[in-house]
Amino acid sequence: MAGGYVGKILKVDLTTKNISTEPINEEVAKKYLGGKGYAVHLLYQYLKEYEGKGVSIKDIDPLGSRNVLVFATGPGTGVPRFPSPSRYHVMTLKAPLTGSIGSGNAGGEWGAFLKFSGFDGIVIEGVADAPVYLALVDGKAEIRDAGELWGKNTMDTTRVLKGIVGGKNTSVTCIGPAGENLIPMAVVMNDEYRAAGRAGLGAVMGSKKLKAIIVSGDKDVPVAKPEEFRKVADKCLGAVKKNSVTGEGLPTYGTAVMVNIINNAGALPYKNWQTGVNPDAESISGETLAKEYLVRKRACWGCTIGCGRISSVKSGPFQILTAEGPEYECIWSLGSTCGIKDLDAIVKAHHLCNELGLDPISLGSTIAATMELNERGYIPEEDLRGLDLKFGNAAAMVEAVWRTAYKVGFGKYLASGSKKLCELYGHPELSMSVKGLEMPAYDPRGIKGIGLNYATANRGGCHVTGYTVSPEIVGLPQKIDPLTTEGKAQWVKIIQDFTSTVNSTINCLFTTFALGTKDYADLLSAVTGWDMSEDEILKIGERIYNLERVIMGKLGFSEKDDTLPSRLLREPMPEGPAKGHIVELEKMKEEYYKLRGWVNGVPTPEKLRELEIKL
Ligand code: SF4
């Protein structure tokens, strides 16, 4: 087996309680690496098996026994000195919030420690008849009773399980009450502070009655060419240190450094995307967080960047001793888009999301949509049950978090996400989502490329599928004009393909501020022992992206779903640097499809052949 892998995938059928392992398939690993790529390939095999039995994937219930959940690491995970090597990817055939392919990844420690426990990945099938957790210790796997854990929040679950299992390199990924209650925006949460967070992966875990997976062990991850790897890793880590974002901005201010930067570009969505200029941005900025809330910094396992924060609210109604983050996206979703400038409330709400296991991006966006519906008089007062969701009402926003996790009062509507909620109240146009997934914190009227990326991202409104903000705003690897559509199709395609490779390697996307395809080719060649070129790095990503798109087609998604909310296509930005701009999506999309070799958003047989995708 090539370096970078510990060599086996664990398969657990929770219905039959059967546990087995299968070796990593080297041919598949060469073509799809690990992480997202290996997981997509595995899911496609399930899809083919179902089709062979006459079961259409369209008929699969995301919360039913036929849905499959994959946890996957890659050849970079758990390798000391590989840049930011802590991550794991979670994928599912069908996500509860969107009905699209479900995909998310997280840092922390769990991904690396999964490998140290002796497994490259885990495939979960079936549904347990009572709550269980999985224990993976030194190459052995067991299904154990989780009756005592059911109902506990993510932090208590983690602490209790660590107390039971103990041992070296022990880490827990789990769900909170939101996952147990099958909330479609429930996350999978690891190490108390990192989450695979979008489209309801935690609800899939909850539907399988799988409360947690604890991993522990000290197996080494082999490196094929240690001398060569040492040299390449030193060079890459040096580049990460020297880079203005990974060596300075992120370590100093965390991801919240983006609040002022994006607001100055006129692209920080405010009050449910009615404008991209937030007059109160300074009060919720990374600089304010660092000055008034920061307790200490923290880093995921093996990461030299260390963008994590631990904050504290010292007094007042939202007082809290220590809380993770909050990250840029959460400050925006629970703050800016809700018209809230009270950072105390944002820190508290974000902490509650982590404890209860909710996705703050989808939740904050759904609350913001509710605020606009409410202010426009579209929600009968009695439906709100006293929850006065109006822009700027911080107390109501915090209250809405736990109501959502437990589906209490108006929480049962919030729990369904903004798309369903806005449809229910007759105004689907107020849901700022793509393919049912709430978009993150960048208004594409001021950053055109990210609009094309949102529209064409397979999993829906997602920034980390193709983060064009890097060239468009940050100026890395080169500065391009955010307000033009010219050349954006090419940028989006390349960044989406490269990102797919990074998410399959799998290490932190933030490294791409400093590292390019050549660095990845060198790192992966040294770790695996395969001779990888820059072209191969992009081709692997393109292959993964296209196979994912094939699955999306089988799920019923088509070109019409590659779009944006009408507000972004028709309502010009009212103020700021992007004043007067809309997103000229169709023009960019046509060019993008051509570059991808897709017709009407679907990969052609020639394209699939070129990428050696076996259907
Ligand atoms: S850059 Fe931040 S999110 Fe990425 S691995 Fe490092 S600490 Fe974790």
Side-chain angles (χ1 to χ4, degrees):
M1 187 67 224
Y5 299 86
V6 290
K8 59 184 180 193
I9 300 280
L10 180 75
K11 278 193 158 177
V12 179
D13 185 329
L14 291 172
T15 305
T16 62
K17 300 191 172 35
N18 187 44
I19 294 179
S20 59
T21 58
E22 64 178 45
I24 284 277
N25 180 326
E26 191 157 351
E27 193 194 332
V28 173
K30 262 189 179 164
K31 287 172 72 178
Y32 293 91
L33 290 177
K36 180 182 179 185
Y38 206 96
V40 171
H41 186 270
L42 275 169
L43 290 176
Y44 189 71
Q45 308 316 305
Y46 277 93
L47 183 151
K48 279 204 299 196
E49 197 183 310
Y50 285 142
E51 285 184 341
K53 290 177 186 163
V55 177
S56 164
I57 184 180
K58 280 190 202 158
D59 298 330
I60 287 179
D61 175 0
L63 301 176
S65 63
R66 282 188 170 128
N67 205 5
V68 181
L69 196 58
V70 180
F71 296 78
T73 65
T77 313
V79 178
R81 295 193 67 70
F82 202 104
S84 309
S86 63
R87 300 185 86 84
Y88 69 104
H89 210 90
V90 188
M91 290 205 85
T92 190
L93 264 178
K94 207 169 180 180
L97 184 67
T98 55
S100 70
I101 193 161
S103 174
N105 76 55
E109 295 166 346
W110 194 84
F113 292 4
L114 169 62
K115 271 175 95 173
F116 301 161
S117 81
F119 301 94
D120 291 295
I122 310 168
V123 180
I124 309 285
E125 303 171 11
V127 169
D129 50 14
V132 294
Y133 72 93
L134 279 178
L136 277 53
V137 181
D138 295 328
K140 292 200 185 79
E142 258 181 52
I143 302 172
R144 296 182 184 171
D145 176 33
E148 296 286 314
L149 295 170
W150 206 250
K152 288 197 189 308
N153 69 38
T154 60
M155 302 189 185
D156 289 343
T157 301
T158 302
R159 288 164 202 172
V160 169
L161 271 181
K162 278 187 161 185
I164 294 171
V165 175
K168 207 173 169 197
N169 302 326
T170 303
S171 169
V172 175
T173 197
C174 66
I175 55 169
E180 295 174 11
N181 295 333
L182 310 182
I183 307 299
M185 54 178 83
V187 301
V188 176
M189 188 96 206
N190 60 285
D191 304 304
E192 302 184 35
Y193 71 105
R194 289 287 184 235
R198 310 286 339 255
L201 296 164
V204 178
M205 217 166 139
S207 72
K208 297 187 175 303
K209 294 203 171 58
L210 178 60
K211 178 68 179 173
I213 307 175
I214 184 160
V215 294
S216 180
D218 57 5
K219 193 169 176 59
D220 282 335
V221 182
V223 170
K225 299 178 180 171
E227 242 339 274
E228 190 178 316
F229 175 69
R230 196 181 52 77
K231 281 188 206 142
V232 180
D234 282 354
K235 180 175 155 265
C236 290
L237 290 173
V240 167
K241 265 244 146 357
K242 255 194 252 143
N243 182 276
S244 61
V245 177
T246 52
E248 200 184 325
L250 287 171
T252 310
Y253 297 113
T255 53
V257 70
M258 295 305 280
V259 173
N260 279 334
I261 293 173
I262 299 300
N263 196 48
N264 290 340
L268 184 67
Y270 183 60
K271 294 192 173 177
N272 202 32
W273 303 66
Q274 294 183 68
T275 173
V277 179
N278 181 344
D280 301 311
E282 188 54 46
S283 59
I284 57 170
S285 66
E287 290 79 351
T288 303
L289 191 71
K291 205 161 80 199
E292 294 172 24
Y293 294 81
L294 183 67
V295 175
R296 64 183 164 90
K297 300 171 187 177
R298 85 160 132 196
C300 302
W301 184 86
C303 177
T304 54
I305 302 170
C307 73
R309 315 280 94 175
I310 294 179
S311 303
S312 167
V313 178
K314 293 177 189 72
S315 59
F318 306 118
Q319 186 175 4
I320 183 162
L321 201 56
T322 55
E324 164 65 19
E327 305 284 339
Y328 167 64
E329 295 298 336
C330 312
I331 289 179
W332 163 77
S333 61
L334 301 166
S336 184
T337 197
C338 294
I340 288 169
K341 60 179 175 182
D342 182 347
L343 199 44
D344 287 11
I346 296 168
V347 172
K348 179 75 177 185
H350 178 242
H351 181 75
L352 282 174
C353 283
N354 283 351
E355 271 191 334
L356 299 167
L358 281 167
D359 170 11
I361 299 181
S362 282
L363 177 60
S365 298
T366 306
I367 291 171
T370 304
M371 288 170 164
E372 187 168 358
L373 285 164
N374 191 23
E375 290 201 349
R376 290 179 188 271
Y378 299 147
I379 303 182
E381 208 183 320
E382 59 273 21
D383 282 16
L384 289 162
R385 307 259 203 105
L387 194 64
D388 186 27
L389 286 173
K390 299 238 174 70
F391 287 119
N393 189 339
M397 181 276 291
V398 175
E399 173 80 8
V401 179
W402 76 264
R403 285 203 192 192
T404 302
Y406 292 101
K407 292 192 191 167
V408 173
F410 194 74
K412 72 173 183 252
Y413 300 117
L414 291 168
S416 63
S418 69
K419 183 168 184 281
K420 284 203 177 129
L421 185 139
C422 291
E423 280 168 4
L424 179 73
Y425 289 105
H427 289 274
E429 75 283 2
L430 295 184
S431 165
M432 300 308 289
S433 61
V434 175
K435 301 183 179 94
L437 186 67
E438 288 75 16
M439 293 179 299
Y442 307 91
D443 191 318
R445 288 172 293 187
I447 313 173
K448 301 287 167 86
I450 202 74
L452 177 61
N453 168 68
Y454 287 157
T456 57
N458 286 323
R459 76 170 180 177
C462 162
H463 59 309
V464 286
T465 296
Y467 192 66
T468 62
V469 174
S470 185
E472 292 187 286
I473 300 292
V474 183
L476 291 171
Q478 69 187 69
K479 181 80 177 93
I480 57 172
D481 180 358
L483 295 175
T484 181
T485 56
E486 216 167 298
K488 295 297 166 71
Q490 178 77 9
W491 275 101
V492 170
K493 177 186 178 295
I494 288 177
I495 296 178
Q496 286 177 343
D497 290 347
F498 185 33
T499 301
S500 287
T501 302
V502 173
N503 285 341
S504 306
T505 297
I506 160 183
N507 61 332
C508 185
L509 200 52
F510 290 154
T511 60
T512 61
F513 284 117
L515 307 177
T517 46
K518 169 87 170 78
D519 300 304
Y520 270 81
D522 291 348
L523 284 164
L524 282 167
S525 297
V527 169
T528 61
W530 303 323
D531 193 15
M532 302 190 82
S533 66
E534 279 189 78
D535 284 351
E536 186 61 14
I537 290 294
L538 286 177
K539 192 170 178 184
I540 287 171
E542 188 177 8
R543 183 179 294 128
I544 295 162
Y545 209 81
N546 276 265
L547 183 55
E548 206 180 26
R549 180 70 35 165
V550 169
I551 297 176
M552 286 296 285
K554 288 182 182 278
L555 284 163
F557 286 81
S558 64
E559 182 189 359
K560 72 172 176 22
D561 300 297
D562 286 344
T563 190
L564 292 170
S566 58
R567 173 163 281 168
L568 305 179
L569 300 173
R570 293 190 199 101
E571 288 179 26
M573 181 69 85
E575 59 187 319
K579 186 174 177 182
H581 280 266
I582 54 164
V583 186
E584 303 89 340
L585 180 65
E586 288 311 310
K587 199 169 130 201
M588 291 191 286
K589 204 167 90 174
E590 197 181 313
E591 196 189 334
Y592 170 88
Y593 282 172
K594 212 178 275 170
L595 284 167
R596 277 234 171 268
W598 294 354
V599 174
N600 299 330
V602 178
T604 59
E606 298 77 53
K607 176 50 77 178
L608 297 176
R609 258 197 309 278
E610 178 198 318
L611 294 170
E612 302 151 78
I613 294 174
K614 286 189 205 147
L615 295 184

